[in-house]
Amino acid sequence: LLGSSSNYLDAGAPASLQFPATGQWTVEFWVKPNDTNGGWWGIANDGDAQLNGTGQWLIWGGNFHYYRHTEGEYLLTTPVSAGVWTHFATSYNNGVYTFYKNGVPVGTANQTYVPATGWELGRIWGNASLDGYLDEFRIWNTERSAAEIAANMNLELAGTESGLAAYFKLDDAANIGLDCTANSNYACEK
């Protein structure tokens, strides 16, 4: 479990985590925030500290948000509770985002994806770190269906599943940034 309000993982910008605007991808994870109202709590971003090409998963004002910094727009806002594990997934297919909470679709948005310039887990904007815990962070190079998300969200994966581009189990303190796929997208703890 990645947790605290001071450490985060930097996975960089490896080729296996670069997806074209006309492509498909899915990001999913479990999060347990300690606080949902005290500040901006960063879960992850697919950009850099200068906010280039950045999509952010964050908690603020009692809600979970997905924010596209490039467009300056929240694409999803849904309530989240402190002290409760919640599963979130975001899938993308050629301009259409679909958002899931605990395996159930909670929204869609039409917006062109700006390709990632880097990946950070446990913070956004270079300084807004997660106050809570993050687990089972998965990045897919395919659009996962609602059925696939719901069927696998409570399972630990093997790391060999088709389309799995990065899989951070976050359960081995000695190797917290270990990617359990053959892509070896190791994330450095900062």
Side-chain angles (χ1 to χ4, degrees), residues 16-17 19 24-29 87 89-92 119 136-144 148-149 152 157 159-167:
S16 60
L17 298 181
F19 311 118
Q24 300 179 5
W25 53 262
T26 302
V27 172
E28 62 176 312
F29 52 83
H87 183 269
T90 303
S91 67
Y92 177 84
W119 287 87
E136 290 288 314
F137 198 97
R138 305 163 182 180
I139 303 172
W140 302 82
N141 61 19
T142 61
E143 177 187 27
R144 303 285 285 171
E148 289 171 319
I149 291 167
N152 291 288
L157 302 180
T160 57
E161 290 78 4
S162 178
L164 189 58
Y167 178 30

Side-chain angles (χ1 to χ4, degrees), residues 82-93:
V84 176
W85 281 105
T86 306
H87 183 269
F88 289 102
T90 303
S91 67
Y92 177 84
N93 186 349

Side-chain angles (χ1 to χ4, degrees), residues 15-84:
S16 60
L17 298 181
Q18 301 298 306
F19 311 118
T22 56
Q24 300 179 5
W25 53 262
T26 302
V27 172
E28 62 176 312
F29 52 83
W30 284 92
V31 64
K32 181 182 177 184
N34 291 329
D35 183 5
T36 61
N37 290 302
W40 297 87
W41 306 118
I43 297 169
N45 75 75
D46 65 352
D48 57 28
Q50 286 72 47
L51 308 177
N52 297 313
T54 306
Q56 294 129 4
W57 292 266
L58 63 113
I59 294 171
W60 173 70
N63 290 295
F64 168 83
H65 305 273
Y66 179 72
Y67 179 76
R68 286 299 308 169
H69 187 271
T70 307
E71 295 82 14
E73 183 176 356
Y74 288 101
L75 301 185
L76 174 74
T77 298
T78 187
V80 65
S81 298
V84 176

Side-chain angles (χ1 to χ4, degrees), residues 76-166:
L76 174 74
T77 298
T78 187
V80 65
S81 298
V84 176
W85 281 105
T86 306
H87 183 269
F88 289 102
T90 303
S91 67
Y92 177 84
N93 186 349
N94 198 22
V96 179
Y97 291 85
T98 304
F99 303 98
Y100 301 87
K101 178 179 176 183
N102 292 324
V104 177
V106 291
T108 61
N110 296 313
Q111 185 83 247
T112 301
Y113 175 68
V114 177
T117 56
W119 287 87
E120 292 180 335
L121 284 59
R123 82 169 187 172
I124 58 169
W125 299 327
N127 64 1
S129 297
L130 175 64
D131 181 12
Y133 300 93
L134 187 60
D135 198 21
E136 290 288 314
F137 198 97
R138 305 163 182 180
I139 303 172
W140 302 82
N141 61 19
T142 61
E143 177 187 27
R144 303 285 285 171
S145 70
E148 289 171 319
I149 291 167
N152 291 288
M153 66 183 217
N154 291 308
L155 302 177
E156 187 172 294
L157 302 180
T160 57
E161 290 78 4
S162 178
L164 189 58

